[in-house]
Amino acid sequence: MNGIKNTFKKTIQRIFTFFWLGVFLYSAYQLVTIGLDYWENRKIMEEIQKEYRPELFAVEEAEESQMIRPQFLDLLKMNGDIVGWITIENTPIDYPILQAEDNDYYLYRNYKHEKTRAGSIFLDFRNDVRQPDRNTIIYGHNMRDGSMFGELDQYLNEEFFQENQIFYFDTLYDSYIVEVFSVYLTTTDFYYIETDFASDEEYLQFLRTIQNKSAIETDAVLDAKDRIITLSTCDRGFNYEKGRLVVHGKLIKQGS
């Protein structure tokens, strides 16, 4: 009888050993897969970063703003959906901006149309870079390795905010500097991605709301003639599905 009990006990132990070994191997596989995905994404982004050389070209005059700027010509050969470029100093954010017919296509695809968990930095399908709306919205994943919009949360740090209050937004047609005036954590219940406003007063109320929500106070003055840019990413610390980190900035066109 004792022999049967011992055999049964050893069998159970083996089952548990194989079970936990399987869990360990699966977890290791997942970590390696994620690591490779991060590495491949960085490599792919480095390839296109080498092709974008805005410093070789002067900022165009306003009357030339409907011509595609020369620094984008080679990029458009790589992907005709590229509509701009975003650069935030002291972060890895130095990426092409893509736009599709919806906000799903580039959520998990890179500029080579390959599926990847990092996706792309992409413009809301409702926006038009030829004639910016009052609210231009750009999305990107909050990646754990800091890529894409993974370091956008640095704007919640007041020292970083003050030292990097300006970033750069280039489109096929125009060049802008962006003065950041608001950063906050919210949820998808707050509709900060409105692009069309019925009146100046409605737009001004929206501007007051998002400025008052800022975790860091600024003395920015905004009026109905101003156009803004909204950077949106997930808030991993709260809820990856519903939590959002949002940065708003005022668009200032260069060369005009």
Side-chain angles (χ1 to χ4, degrees), residues 177-235:
I177 60 173
V178 182
E179 291 184 353
V180 178
F181 65 86
S182 181
V183 56
Y184 54 88
L185 297 173
T186 187
T187 68
T188 52
D189 296 328
F190 175 57
Y191 197 70
Y192 57 88
I193 57 171
E194 183 60 79
T195 62
D196 188 29
F197 300 87
S199 65
D200 286 353
E201 183 52 42
E202 183 180 307
Y203 180 53
L204 285 170
Q205 181 57 50
F206 174 75
L207 293 178
R208 287 192 289 268
T209 299
I210 60 176
Q211 192 165 14
N212 289 337
K213 286 177 72 70
S214 183
I216 297 174
E217 187 175 348
T218 70
D219 57 1
V221 177
L222 302 165
D223 61 40
K225 294 180 181 179
D226 290 323
R227 279 167 166 68
I228 67 169
I229 190 168
T230 296
L231 308 183
S232 175
T233 192
C234 296
D235 173 20

Side-chain angles (χ1 to χ4, degrees), residues 125 159 231:
F125 75 98
E159 182 178 354
L231 308 183

Side-chain angles (χ1 to χ4, degrees), residues 45-153:
M45 297 314 295
E46 286 172 1
E47 290 176 6
I48 197 168
Q49 286 166 349
K50 291 176 182 177
E51 297 297 323
Y52 184 64
R53 302 290 300 280
E55 69 275 8
L56 299 181
F57 305 94
V59 175
E60 293 83 351
E61 295 299 325
E63 61 268 23
E64 298 176 344
S65 63
Q66 291 307 303
M67 297 174 58
I68 293 179
R69 302 164 69 203
Q71 56 262 53
F72 283 99
L73 295 178
D74 287 340
L75 299 188
L76 289 172
K77 293 175 184 177
M78 301 170 75
N79 187 321
D81 290 338
I82 292 174
V83 294
W85 196 279
I86 182 171
T87 303
I88 302 180
E89 294 179 350
N90 299 312
T91 78
I93 300 171
D94 187 27
Y95 300 124
I97 302 168
L98 294 102
Q99 185 181 40
E101 294 181 354
D102 56 50
N103 286 340
D104 294 324
Y105 185 80
Y106 284 110
L107 192 60
Y108 292 106
R109 286 185 177 88
N110 60 29
Y111 69 88
K112 292 185 175 182
H113 303 283
E114 301 166 337
K115 289 191 175 182
T116 170
R117 72 180 66 241
S120 295
I121 303 300
F122 62 94
L123 184 70
D124 193 293
F125 75 98
R126 298 169 295 172
N127 288 135
D128 184 352
V129 293
R130 288 183 179 85
Q131 189 172 6
D133 296 286
R134 281 176 155 171
N135 188 11
T136 295
I137 305 153
I138 299 175
Y139 306 92
H141 282 304
N142 188 345
M143 301 303 291
R144 292 185 182 277
D145 69 342
S147 63
M148 313 316 283
F149 278 172
E151 290 195 13
L152 200 61
D153 60 358

Side-chain angles (χ1 to χ4, degrees), residues 22-32:
V23 170
F24 171 78
L25 291 174
Y26 177 76
S27 299
Y29 169 77
Q30 289 290 93
L31 288 172
V32 170

